[in-house]
Amino acid sequence: MSDLMAGIIVGIVALPLAIAFGIASGVAPEKGIITAIIAGFIISLMGGSKVQIGGPTGAFIVIIYGIVQQYGEAGLIVATLIAGVLLVLLGVFKLGAVIKFIPYPIIVGFTSGIAVTIFTTQIADIFGLTFGGAKLPGDFIGKWLMYFEHFGTINWWNTAVSIVSVFIIVITPKFSKKIPGSLIAIVLVTVIVYFMKLYGGIDCIPTIGDRFTINAELPEAVVPPLNWAAINDLFPVAITIAVLGAIESLLSATVADGVIGDRHDSNTELIAQGAANIITPLFGGIPATGAIARTMTNINNGGKTPVAGIIHAVVLLLILLFLMPLAQYIPMACLAGVLVIVSYNMSGWRVFKALLKNPRADVTVLLITFILTVIFDLTVAIEIGLVIACILFMKRVMETTKISVITDEINLHEEQDSSLPEENLVIPKDVEVYEISGPYFFGVATKFEETMAQLGDYPKVRIIRMRRVPFIDSTGIHNLTSLCEMSHKDKITVILSGVNPQVNEALEKSGFYELIGKENICPNINVALERAKEIVE
């Protein structure tokens, strides 16, 4: 019974959001509901979370709008299908955990950027601006320039409708926890505007019916024509849809886990998200993912199993079939007010402000991702944000990896791999000891070469202590190989000391030990120094 009630309430909550997201994305309003029905059903039926509610979300508005403007709805279908396949592959190959490694500043940066962009797209409907037949530009700066240029066409009735809608949504939680403010605002404002038109002669407030013809039925499945050129053009955008969908769905499932004390299966969830994004576009739907707000509404109203999500989809289907014609009376300014609240909640400005106090590298990633999302697009923002985050991460790792040179004594009070704890180890003449502390990867390899080049001397033995090297990559192995080959030319023997099992396995597989000789691989510094004495003498 609790799942039944939760499903009904979530279906009602999802209705105005699905309509608003569909229109804001540049498609017909019923396509938002179709997405919520089909994707919501599949995600609840197949997903790895018991309480996840899937459907269209605000995060996709900017991407979908851009695709529709450039490639049309046929291009959107192809991009969504590709994204669905990518999500399924992520789940099949157990890569659900990898998505969680995307840095938090990137997630906050593009989420806040999307919120600003959504707000920007609603300015025309909030103020009722008209552009004299001119097409509104797709870019952020172009939009604002046109808004300022045509601000003299403001329709104050539209503005009043938007303000009233926002006010109703804001105050609703103070007297109603069950019924969403967006639904109350849409019902009340639609009724008021309807009677104003009917009896007041006020006919200057555009509604959904003025711009769209609503089809109150589920369309037949249509497989779009696929060709390599379209796939090639849309593949980068599809990657963005897949990554964003994976992030949002797993983030939503994780938040739900914390509330209900459960643990979702991230890979199963990704497969379900992929299946939803493969099937939904065949019926004209748009990209879908897990929705945090609707998932929390489900939990707060007693949802405990996937049955609640399935019922939510059935409720939306009934609304589409029997009540959808009434949606034509909803004012566009009212939907704009709903999306203003969505963008405000999505902005996470408190988190954004808090992150500005973090280390400079994190702030750099946050601001660059935010600015690129707003000024350019989400695809560019995620790509460049990830590259910058990786570079800064490698820089931090390089800074933590230290290379030191010891030529006289080793203090055993600071050692862990020595078997003689009460005396210092004296380094014999013509022997140098190099210690590497930290990962030995491509960012550090040249650092070791530079350290040796600065010394410029030629001992008989070089001992490289690797007890504090957790891993080594192919560049590190190549660097060591080059060092040994150069040392052999200069008649210098290289000895490795304290190599851990993981690094030892990597070196052995690469054939490095055939070059250096297994007798020069020592378990600790004591054995390494004894071996060095033998060579020197």
Side-chain angles (χ1 to χ4, degrees), residues 449 477-487 512 515:
E449 289 179 351
I477 294 172
H478 173 73
N479 176 264
L480 277 180
T481 302
S482 299
L483 169 65
C484 289
E485 290 172 347
M486 292 168 56
S487 297
F512 176 78
L515 173 65

Side-chain angles (χ1 to χ4, degrees), residues 12-34:
I12 295 172
V13 169
L15 175 64
L17 294 176
I19 294 173
F21 292 152
I23 292 175
S25 299
V27 298
E30 73 268 15
K31 294 196 174 182
I33 299 182
I34 289 170

Side-chain angles (χ1 to χ4, degrees), residues 5 11 39 54 62 75 106 205 233 348 355 359 444 467 495 523:
M5 291 306 300
V62 180
I106 290 180
I205 304 174
D233 289 343
L355 283 177
V444 180
R467 61 193 177 127
I495 297 174

Side-chain angles (χ1 to χ4, degrees), residues 302-372:
K304 294 181 176 64
T305 72
V307 172
I310 293 171
I311 291 172
H312 129 273
V314 173
V315 169
L316 285 171
L317 175 61
L318 294 175
I319 292 173
L320 173 67
L321 296 177
F322 300 108
L323 299 177
M324 197 59 189
L326 296 176
Q328 64 181 316
Y329 300 109
I330 300 174
M332 296 298 297
C334 180
L335 288 180
V338 171
L339 288 173
V340 165
I341 298 297
V342 169
S343 61
Y344 175 82
N345 293 333
M346 195 175 177
S347 68
W349 65 270
R350 292 181 180 85
V351 176
F352 193 99
K353 182 180 177 183
L355 283 177
L356 293 175
K357 300 175 183 177
N358 282 12
R360 188 177 300 174
D362 290 338
V363 174
T364 300
V365 173
L366 172 70
L367 292 178
I368 288 177
T369 307
F370 173 77
I371 292 169
L372 289 175

Side-chain angles (χ1 to χ4, degrees), residues 58-59 61-62 113-122 339 342-343 346:
I61 289 175
V62 180
I114 290 169
V116 171
T117 308
I118 292 173
F119 175 76
T120 299
T121 61
Q122 300 308 304
L339 288 173
V342 169
S343 61
M346 195 175 177

